Amino acid sequence: MAHSRTARRRWTAAIGLTGVAVLALSACAESERGTDDASGKTGGTLIFGAAGKPKNFDPIFNDDGESFRPIRQMYDTLITYKRGTADLAPGLAEKWDLSDGGKTITFSLVQGAKFHDGTAFDAAAVCFNFERWFNMKGAAAQSQMIYYADIFKGFAQNEGDASGTPLYKSCEAKDANTAVLNLNAYSSALPAAFGLTSFSISSPEALKKYDADAVTQSGESFAYPAYATEHPTGTGPFKFESYDKTNNTITLVRNEDYHGEKAKLDKIIFKIIEDENARKQELKAGTIDGYDYPSPADFKSLKDDGFDVLIRPAFNIMYLGINQANTPALKDIRVRQAIAYAVNREQLVKTKLPEGAEVATQFQPKTVAGYADDVTKYPYDPAKAKDLLKQAGVENLTLKFYVPTEVSRPYMPNPVDYAAAMTEDLKAVGINVETVPRPWNGGYKDDVQKFGKHDLHLLGWTGDYNDAGNFPGTFFGRSKPEFGFDDKALFDEIAAADAVVDATAHADAWKQVNRNLLSKYLPAVPISHSPPGIVVNKKIKGLTPSPLTDERFDTVTKD
Amino acid sequence: MLRFTIRRLLQAIPTLFVLSVLVFAWLRSLPGGPATALLGDKATPESIASLEKIMGLDQPLYLQYFNFLGRMLSGDMGNSIISADPVLEEIGRALPATIELSVVALLIAVLLGIPLGYLSASYRGRFFDNATIMGTLAGVAVPVFFLGIVLKYVFAQELGLLPPSSRQDADIDATRVTGFATLDGMLTGEWDATGNALWHLVLPAIALSSIPLAVIVRITRASVLDVLNEDFIRTANAKGLQATVVRTRHVLRNALLPVSTTVGLQTGLLLGGAVLTEKVFVWGGLGSLLSEGIQRRDYPRLQALILLAAGVYVLVNLLVDISYAIIDPRVRTS
């Protein structure tokens, strides 16, 4: 039987508004039902505005936030993140130990956990998942395992993008609660990357029952099996109930058998509303309780209207990229330094970026190990910029500045505005700028990252896990058309830092990389760290914003 | 009549074929591509190239087209790159939303437009006529999306009287039968679901009906005025026929001929308007599929949608021609 809570208010209003008989009759019917069940600290339904449709619900085949949001509520990872930070915390593994130079990881698992289908979570289930990922067949399936390919480098048989030597060697269930993972080599990404939602643990029985590996591809499109679309089965605090594609809602219900502290809410409904303005209107109309990524321009008005705008700690970087391949002058570090001094980043952050944004001094946020306080800094100094250009013998320099349009990212909410300000700064020191706007999904990334058509460009990155290798290592660890340089010394330096196992030495090695990146190489100009927001109404309590956008709703209550 | 219908149907085949080539070529000429959109922020040039190879997007264009044609002729329009659902299933799910919205908008336009146009012509030059003309000018001039935004701002956000978007409330627990939210509630006895769906229809249907309403009023008015000046009306009045009979049997029937053409054309245009209206009201119909598909370069979805829209347009025009032939038998023999 249908029931609607938020409808009631409208029905009441409807009676007075219109004389359309059928509507008035329906209104009366609804008003009498009285379905308000969202009172008190436990129970109730959270309706959250999602910005897009999930691709599917099988964690391993996803890499985007809109898919991860519902998945995170249904699944657990072996290691998770301490709420509100990027620091590692126990998940399905109570503890983990690295041995053999980081090539063996021993997980001590929680006891008593069960999958949503009632089967037990144990070491055998963990190894089943690792084996499944490693032995995944078919280019179609492998091509969808973005994070697995990135972290574990290769499969038993590489059929898609991955071409490296597999990191995975074997997994052994020593006893019910101890899983030992053996790797072919040490990876600095691990164990931090075990917190990635992609590496959530699924029920082996459900994976088998619903043919989870049967990803097929025809023409340009992919199709996912029933496990990924209708039967996601994890151990998380919420269980999958339905995905109503007619009304664009995903409904999860509380897992009463959860091994940890049970979720407070009875139900979560993710309502997919792609337009940011529409999400805001829905919040204001009271038809949703919150939504993600409010525009920074709305932070103040939302607060003024009585909503809680929760600011996530920034875990991202926006940079002004420099391509050294097209314009010879850019090979000269003095010219790149001139660009860095010419851009008034302090002013930009103060006037154009959201509250809480900071000027970036290096290519990673402070919270990531390897951040160096003593890197070479480039404060706004147009005179010095002019002087450096003069020293380099550069006159009438004209640069093509590629700017992404029709896009807003957490690290660059309004790139067109930032590019306009930077263009003026560069012109002020005598650099001619030819702005080339390109739609984000209309060729910008191809032009910049694939073809390297630009001299300057705006781009950024939101971190996946807490390791410097996921920031500067990702940008500058190898030759790319985006930056147009091929400097073996730098690549070796980064590879060496990445290979250090001891945590303190690892951080120290990255500190040195960061120092050198800013003083010796300067392949780009770090601009800012920008904190994305999440907004909820006053009834919602207990939501902790995560720098990794890893919000869990199990602690949330609705008054 | 049958031969007439078959001839018109056969004429539609080359039109649809040429259109399929144009749509296919146009989509591939757009910068960016589905692999880039699918892989998202973490995409690398290598991963994009690899995915394009898997998707067959590295093949020559003519080969890609023949593959597409082969699949299409066997009834396989592919899966959406965004949702991974078969596009025909997606369209089947979204179509009721668009039809529901368009039908209600068209009903508003026709049921209000014809009487208003007739009355406007009857009171030619008087206040009612002038007010109607002003209103229709505004209706034609104001873009649908703008009207939608204004309606939403006033009635949903500021007054809180009507829902701002989507087809039903998020927490409605409705059983899906046909995909028509209003109809499903009636079939299953979930009357509050039907009421809720109707309530959600109010704002988008008013916004979408604005242009066809204005056009129908104007065409009806002009047509009625033309017919009123015809000799046979004068004759009918002169021979003492009742005014009601003259109005309904002679004036209105003859005046409706161009109006029916207009309604047919407006149905096609309504689909165009629905794209914008659905975008504003997050409606989840064909328009929403289309705009999301363009944004994310969803080739299979866009191909299917555009060809379907063209097919519907051709079909509606065919129905208009048939209605012409029924109303005026001379058309059949011409």
Side-chain angles (χ1 to χ4, degrees):
Chain A
M1 193 64 186
H3 78 102
S4 169
R5 188 176 55 259
T6 50
R8 190 173 48 175
R9 186 165 52 87
R10 294 206 202 99
W11 295 130
T12 310
I15 298 166
L17 183 76
T18 177
V20 182
V22 66
L23 295 182
L25 285 170
S26 302
C28 294
E30 182 60 28
S31 298
E32 284 160 12
R33 186 163 299 182
T35 55
D36 192 351
D37 58 355
S39 56
K41 286 281 178 188
T42 56
T45 301
L46 170 76
I47 304 176
F48 193 83
K53 294 184 175 82
K55 198 159 75 175
N56 60 70
F57 301 109
D58 187 339
I60 199 66
F61 294 133
N62 283 289
D63 64 312
D64 68 289
E66 296 308 326
S67 302
F68 281 161
R69 193 181 292 109
I71 288 173
R72 278 190 189 109
Q73 321 307 324
M74 297 187 278
Y75 286 88
D76 290 310
T77 44
L78 289 169
I79 299 173
T80 187
Y81 302 105
K82 198 175 153 194
R83 300 283 162 119
T85 75
D87 301 337
L88 298 184
L92 285 171
E94 284 174 330
K95 64 187 188 79
W96 56 95
D97 296 304
L98 272 68
S99 55
D100 189 21
K103 290 199 285 186
T104 299
I105 305 173
T106 304
F107 296 102
S108 302
L109 306 176
V110 294
Q111 296 185 34
K114 278 185 176 175
F115 291 105
H116 298 158
D117 57 1
T119 56
F121 164 79
D122 55 17
V126 171
C127 287
F128 185 94
N129 277 266
F130 278 113
E131 283 290 311
R132 174 194 177 219
W133 303 333
F134 176 62
N135 290 300
M136 190 66 71
K137 298 271 190 303
Q142 289 185 10
S143 72
Q144 302 303 293
M145 297 168 67
I146 309 286
Y147 278 119
Y148 185 84
D150 183 38
I151 304 294
F152 286 90
K153 309 298 177 195
F155 298 86
Q157 194 177 343
N158 291 332
E159 297 176 62
D161 177 35
S163 56
T165 307
L167 196 62
Y168 177 84
K169 187 176 178 185
S170 64
C171 181
E172 184 193 345
K174 270 181 83 173
D175 56 53
N177 300 310
T178 312
V180 181
L181 178 68
N182 298 304
L183 304 173
N184 286 315
Y186 163 73
S187 166
S188 63
L190 299 175
F194 283 123
L196 286 172
T197 305
S198 284
F199 300 129
S200 300
I201 303 296
S202 295
S203 156
E205 287 307 312
L207 289 170
K208 285 184 271 187
K209 186 175 175 186
Y210 299 111
D211 208 10
D213 298 352
V215 177
T216 55
Q217 180 252 334
S218 165
E220 301 91 351
S221 45
F222 295 86
Y224 300 95
Y227 179 81
T229 55
E230 294 165 38
H231 302 283
T233 313
T235 55
F238 289 94
K239 297 194 289 188
F240 181 78
E241 184 177 86
S242 63
Y243 180 9
D244 181 353
K245 292 180 179 177
T246 300
N247 205 27
N248 278 326
T249 52
I250 298 159
T251 305
L252 313 181
V253 293
R254 179 170 51 217
N255 174 13
E256 300 293 355
D257 298 323
Y258 188 59
H259 60 277
E261 196 174 331
K262 289 180 185 46
K264 306 280 192 296
L265 295 162
D266 290 335
K267 201 182 264 194
I268 306 173
I269 298 175
F270 293 106
K271 183 175 183 184
I272 301 156
I273 310 164
E274 272 138 21
D275 181 61
E276 198 270 327
N277 202 38
R279 289 199 294 279
K280 185 175 71 181
Q281 285 178 323
E282 291 260 7
L283 181 73
K284 289 189 174 181
T287 48
I288 61 173
D289 295 309
Y291 68 91
D292 214 344
Y293 302 126
S295 164
D298 292 329
F299 281 8
K300 190 178 177 305
S301 70
L302 285 166
K303 280 181 192 170
D304 291 346
D305 288 343
F307 297 104
D308 283 333
V309 180
L310 310 172
I311 306 292
R312 296 174 167 114
F315 200 68
N316 58 34
I317 173 86
M318 174 171 73
Y319 56 79
L320 174 66
I322 302 172
N323 179 10
Q324 299 176 31
N326 298 332
T327 302
L330 291 174
K331 288 187 190 300
D332 189 329
I333 192 170
R334 289 171 296 184
V335 178
R336 302 200 295 277
Q337 285 172 328
I339 292 170
Y341 281 118
V343 175
N344 192 345
R345 292 175 294 166
E346 292 78 8
Q347 179 74 4
L348 186 79
V349 166
K350 209 165 127 187
T351 59
K352 297 201 182 290
L353 281 148
E355 179 189 330
E358 289 175 356
V359 171
T361 60
Q362 50 209 286
F363 298 98
Q364 64 171 69
K366 251 180 208 166
T367 44
V368 176
Y371 184 90
D373 290 320
D374 54 351
V375 293
T376 305
K377 297 192 175 63
Y378 295 90
Y380 178 56
D381 192 341
K384 199 162 184 177
K386 283 180 189 170
D387 191 40
L388 280 162
L389 288 171
K390 202 172 170 187
Q391 282 177 36
V394 172
E395 282 177 15
N396 294 323
L397 178 65
T398 300
L399 300 176
K400 279 187 185 165
F401 187 2
Y402 274 58
V403 180
T405 61
E406 299 169 32
V407 66
S408 177
R409 282 287 180 273
Y411 50 81
M412 53 173 193
N414 196 354
V416 175
D417 256 20
Y418 316 147
M422 289 180 201
T423 300
E424 289 308 309
D425 288 343
L426 292 168
K427 281 181 179 169
V429 299
I431 298 173
N432 302 313
V433 178
E434 190 186 313
T435 306
V436 186
R438 282 275 184 279
W440 182 257
N441 279 326
Y444 178 75
K445 290 192 81 185
D446 280 353
D447 284 353
V448 163
Q449 292 191 310
K450 196 169 166 183
F451 305 119
K453 290 181 179 177
H454 60 292
D455 294 314
L456 302 174
H457 71 292
L458 267 187
L459 207 59
W461 177 264
T462 297
D464 299 313
Y465 50 88
N466 194 347
D467 188 78
N470 191 233
F471 280 93
T474 302
F475 312 141
F476 311 120
R478 62 195 172 90
S479 176
K480 287 175 164 186
E482 184 181 351
F483 300 108
F485 69 88
D486 193 358
D487 193 327
K488 193 171 177 302
L490 174 60
F491 303 153
D492 288 347
E493 239 181 86
I494 287 175
D498 210 37
V500 178
V501 179
D502 176 72
T504 312
H506 184 76
D508 287 344
W510 274 110
K511 279 182 186 175
Q512 192 52 45
V513 169
N514 280 325
R515 287 184 201 107
N516 290 346
L517 271 172
L518 272 295
S519 62
K520 274 171 66 181
Y521 302 106
L522 200 69
V525 182
I527 301 291
S528 56
H529 307 294
S530 186
I534 182 169
V535 60
V536 290
N537 64 33
K538 289 284 185 193
K539 292 178 189 168
I540 304 302
K541 308 284 180 210
L543 177 62
T544 309
S546 157
L548 299 160
T549 63
D550 186 49
E551 285 83 19
R552 313 273 169 157
F553 294 115
D554 55 336
T555 53
V556 169
T557 61
K558 185 174 174 179
D559 290 334
Chain B
M1 193 66 185
L2 184 67
R3 190 179 296 172
F4 171 80
T5 309
I6 291 171
R7 195 174 71 225
R8 296 305 310 269
L9 275 173
L10 288 175
Q11 282 170 353
I13 292 173
T15 309
L16 290 174
F17 174 74
V18 170
L19 195 76
S20 76
V21 176
L22 290 176
V23 168
F24 188 87
W26 170 67
L27 285 173
R28 268 94 188 147
S29 71
L30 291 174
T36 310
L38 192 66
L39 289 171
D41 282 5
K42 310 290 178 189
T44 61
E46 294 79 12
S47 64
I48 292 169
S50 168
L51 192 57
E52 282 177 344
K53 194 175 172 189
I54 292 167
M55 290 171 145
L57 296 171
D58 61 332
Q59 292 179 348
L61 211 55
Y62 70 92
L63 269 183
Q64 289 185 46
Y65 177 75
F66 286 128
N67 288 337
F68 155 70
L69 197 63
R71 286 196 300 273
M72 191 175 71
L73 291 176
S74 66
D76 175 15
M77 297 292 285
N79 285 25
S80 159
I81 291 170
I82 300 166
S83 70
D85 289 335
V87 286
L88 292 181
E89 190 183 304
E90 259 193 347
I91 290 170
R93 205 162 43 231
L95 193 60
T98 301
I99 290 176
E100 213 163 36
L101 176 59
S102 301
V103 165
V104 174
L106 200 64
L107 278 175
I108 293 172
V110 171
L111 295 180
L112 279 179
I114 293 175
L116 277 176
Y118 184 85
L119 287 174
S120 190
S122 302
Y123 296 101
R124 186 183 183 187
R126 292 162 71 175
F127 175 75
F128 181 81
D129 183 33
N130 291 334
T132 308
I133 289 173
M134 292 282 283
T136 57
L137 266 177
V140 174
V142 176
V144 173
F145 74 90
F146 179 72
L147 180 63
I149 290 168
V150 171
L151 288 173
K152 216 167 122 166
Y153 178 75
V154 175
F155 292 101
Q157 190 173 318
E158 290 303 308
L159 299 176
L161 293 173
L162 288 157
S165 55
S166 71
R167 294 176 70 192
Q168 281 174 313
D169 286 349
D171 52 354
I172 202 95
D173 184 15
T175 310
R176 307 289 171 207
V177 184
T178 63
F180 290 92
T182 48
L183 194 61
D184 286 350
M186 293 179 198
L187 292 172
T188 56
E190 294 167 348
W191 292 99
D192 53 347
T194 293
N196 190 258
L198 282 168
W199 203 229
H200 277 254
L201 264 166
V202 175
L203 288 183
I206 289 173
L208 185 58
S209 69
S210 64
I211 291 177
L213 172 65
V215 171
I216 289 170
V217 168
R218 292 172 74 88
I219 296 290
T220 308
R221 179 183 177 277
S223 183
V224 167
L225 284 176
D226 281 349
V227 176
L228 282 173
N229 289 328
E230 292 284 344
D231 289 344
F232 68 90
I233 298 295
R234 203 170 298 122
T235 308
N237 284 327
K239 75 178 185 183
L241 275 181
Q242 274 189 332
T244 323
V245 175
V246 174
R247 270 189 229 127
T248 53
R249 207 178 280 173
H250 296 288
V251 177
L252 206 54
R253 186 165 180 191
N254 281 288
L256 283 184
L257 205 62
V259 175
S260 72
T261 311
T262 306
V263 170
L265 289 170
Q266 288 300 316
T267 307
L269 293 173
L270 214 56
L271 290 174
V275 174
L276 298 171
T277 313
E278 287 186 10
K279 176 89 180 149
V280 172
F281 289 96
V282 196
W283 194 246
L286 295 178
S288 306
L289 284 188
L290 187 70
S291 57
E292 189 190 44
I294 291 171
Q295 178 80 8
R296 310 246 322 248
R297 302 291 190 267
D298 194 335
Y299 291 168
R301 181 192 281 183
L302 292 173
Q303 282 156 186
L305 276 172
I306 296 170
L307 289 175
L308 177 87
V312 169
Y313 199 80
V314 167
L315 192 71
V316 167
N317 278 288
L318 178 71
L319 291 176
V320 169
D321 286 350
I322 292 170
S323 76
Y324 249 144
I326 291 168
I327 294 171
D328 186 353
R330 286 170 299 179
V331 174
R332 265 177 267 172
T333 51
S334 64

